[in-house]
């Protein structure tokens, strides 16, 4: 098989359930991996800040016996006029995989087209597939099953929401994207995810009514109201999204064993209250840890000979 990328969740659609199971297995086997990626180097190109993605990819490849190379794009020639096509071909001569956090998915796609080694998205303006994988790992750990579960995503229909739509559709979770009309997820992704969900006997629904959407939910999920690269003024975002905040009122209408998820970084008292993120339903730090195990599953699957 030729090289493969993970730029959209759909790039590994058929392997998604196996990736979730592999991440859980690798989590249980932490410290006993036997260097399956010995001698492999992952270049990590960042155009935006990161705590979780950078740390988890670096540690993941190190614990699998390989090595990570951090590249700040502003300090690369690509940040000073060299083309992404040339960068892709040069890096392909040095490393075994490239992780890229980009502003623009078109740059991500170009990098994926021109490298001869796998490109793994560490987020762009359209998707965040590795986050969605860690999210599915977390849901499986907490509930064991996916079918018939109800996940409500509240707030901005952003990159995290788009990848979650695909991941939920693939795993058979019913998902409601509950966002203001002007900040719905990508329309093509909604449609494509709804089609996949239908094949899997589940539903993808849009809503603008948090109080109705959250009734009986198994998972409440939110993300920042202002993503990196989004210039919406804070006061405007607060007005637009206030009704979508995850707080004790919304939590009280969800299922009694509901879990609360957030990809982090969180903005307390904006998209989520301090009492909810610090409360007994919150699984956000398990979710963050699972980034590590999910990255290992992706790296193993794409980079192992
Ligand atoms: N959730 C996530 O991707 O976090 P970072 O921006 O810290 O990588
Ligand atoms: N939607 C957020 C996710 C950060 C991990 C952003 O793009 O900034």
């Amino acid at each position: 098989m030729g090289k493969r990328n993970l730029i959209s969740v759909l790039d590994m659609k058929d392997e998604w359930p196996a990736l979730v199971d592999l991440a859980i297995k690798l989590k249980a086997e932490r410290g006993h991996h036997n260097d399956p990626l010995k001698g492999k180097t992952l270049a990590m190109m960042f155009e935006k800040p990161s705590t979780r993605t950078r740390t988890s990819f670096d540690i993941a490849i190190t614990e699998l016996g390989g090595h990570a190379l951090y590249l700040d794009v502003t300090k690369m020639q690509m940040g000073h006029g060299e083309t992404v096509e040339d960068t892709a071909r040069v890096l392909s001569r040095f490393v075994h995989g490239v992780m890229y956090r980009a502003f623009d998915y078109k740059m991500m796609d170009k990098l994926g087209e021109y490298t001869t080694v796998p490109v793994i998205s560490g987020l762009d303006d359209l998707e965040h597939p590795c986050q969605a994988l860690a999210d599915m790992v977390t849901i499986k750990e907490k509930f064991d099953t996916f079918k018939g579960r109800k996940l409500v995503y509240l707030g901005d229909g952003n990159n995290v929401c788009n990848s979650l739509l695909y991941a939920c559709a693939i795993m058979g979770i019913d998902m409601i994207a509950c966002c203001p009309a002007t900040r719905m997820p990508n329309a093509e992704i909604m449609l494509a995810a709804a089609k996949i969900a239908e094949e899997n006997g589940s539903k993808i629904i849009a809503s603008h009514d948090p109080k109705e959407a959250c009734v009986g939910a198994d998972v409440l999920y939110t993300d920042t109201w202002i993503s990196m690269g989004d210039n919406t003024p804070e006061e405007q975002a607060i007005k637009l999204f206030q009704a979508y905040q995850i707080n004790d009122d919304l939590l009280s209408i969800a299922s009694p064993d509901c879990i609360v998820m957030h990809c982090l970084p969180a903005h307390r008292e904006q998209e989520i209250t301090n009492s909810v993120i610090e409360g007994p339903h919150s699984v956000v730090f398990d979710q963050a840890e699972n980034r590590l195990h999910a990255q290992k599953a992706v790296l193993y699957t794409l980079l192992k000979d």
Side-chain angles (χ1 to χ4, degrees):
M1 199 188 284
K3 75 105 182 191
R4 290 174 306 152
N5 300 323
L6 177 56
I7 290 176
S8 165
V9 170
L10 291 192
D11 292 334
M12 297 186 81
K13 174 174 175 276
D14 297 336
E15 289 147 289
W16 210 255
L19 283 171
V20 173
D21 290 342
L22 179 58
I24 290 171
K25 180 171 171 277
L26 290 168
K27 183 171 183 173
E29 289 172 359
R30 192 168 181 199
H32 305 279
H33 294 321
N34 260 338
D35 295 347
L37 298 186
K38 192 170 187 285
K40 307 266 182 188
T41 299
L42 178 74
M44 307 193 301
M45 292 170 54
F46 282 89
E47 289 179 0
K48 310 183 198 181
S50 169
T51 296
R52 281 142 289 268
T53 305
R54 177 178 176 182
T55 314
S56 59
F57 265 108
D58 191 327
I59 295 170
I61 190 141
T62 304
E63 290 188 1
L64 293 174
H67 172 76
L69 180 68
Y70 174 75
L71 298 168
D72 172 348
V73 175
T74 64
K75 307 260 166 49
M76 294 174 73
Q77 297 295 8
M78 197 174 106
H80 299 269
E82 187 167 23
T83 65
V84 62
E85 292 90 334
D86 287 356
T87 306
R89 286 174 288 187
V90 170
L91 285 179
S92 297
R93 302 292 177 103
F94 294 137
V95 301
H96 303 89
V98 181
M99 190 245 96
Y100 182 28
R101 171 164 284 194
F103 277 104
D104 184 352
Y105 79 92
K106 291 188 220 76
M107 294 287 277
M108 182 75 76
D109 270 349
K110 267 261 167 336
L111 191 82
E113 187 185 339
Y114 279 83
T115 52
T116 55
V117 297
V119 168
I120 302 166
S121 168
L123 169 157
D124 58 30
D125 53 342
L126 207 54
E127 282 202 56
H128 196 358
C130 294
Q131 180 66 53
L133 182 61
D135 298 341
M136 294 301 117
V137 170
T138 309
I139 291 171
K140 175 119 194 215
E141 274 181 344
K142 303 296 173 192
F143 291 117
D144 199 37
T145 55
F146 293 106
K147 283 248 178 303
R149 295 282 167 202
K150 174 178 173 182
L151 182 150
V152 183
Y153 176 94
L154 295 135
D156 187 20
N158 60 17
N159 44 10
V160 167
C161 181
N162 288 334
S163 285
L164 259 184
L165 284 165
Y166 280 145
C168 286
I170 292 167
M171 302 312 291
I173 297 173
D174 293 334
M175 176 167 166
I176 302 182
C178 187
C179 313
T182 52
R183 301 292 283 251
M184 291 305 288
N186 178 278
E188 275 176 38
I189 292 181
M190 270 293 273
L191 264 179
K195 230 169 152 193
I196 297 167
E198 207 182 314
E199 287 160 18
N200 291 336
S202 60
K203 280 179 286 196
I204 298 290
I205 297 170
S207 164
H208 311 302
D209 184 345
K211 292 220 166 86
E212 190 182 78
C214 293
V215 174
D218 298 297
V219 183
L220 297 186
Y221 196 121
T222 193
D223 183 17
T224 180
W225 290 339
I226 307 174
S227 285
M228 294 177 278
D230 176 353
N231 296 322
T232 306
E234 194 173 7
E235 313 81 79
Q236 196 178 313
I238 290 171
K239 263 197 207 136
L240 182 63
F241 292 114
Q242 191 59 51
Y244 298 81
Q245 179 190 65
I246 302 188
N247 51 33
D248 289 309
D249 280 352
L250 270 194
L251 190 55
S252 72
I253 56 178
S255 160
D257 62 353
C258 172
I259 60 170
V260 175
M261 301 180 73
H262 190 311
C263 64
L264 305 180
H267 306 81
R268 285 166 167 79
E269 306 308 327
Q270 290 197 4
E271 71 272 7
I272 191 162
T273 58
N274 194 55
S275 66
V276 171
I277 199 168
E278 298 294 346
H281 296 270
S282 169
V283 299
V284 299
F285 298 111
D286 292 332
Q287 185 185 355
E289 181 195 324
N290 285 334
R291 294 295 306 277
L292 170 67
H293 312 300
Q295 319 305 26
K296 280 186 188 169
V298 170
L299 289 168
Y300 183 91
T301 305
L302 292 181
L303 267 56
K304 177 101 174 70
D305 297 320

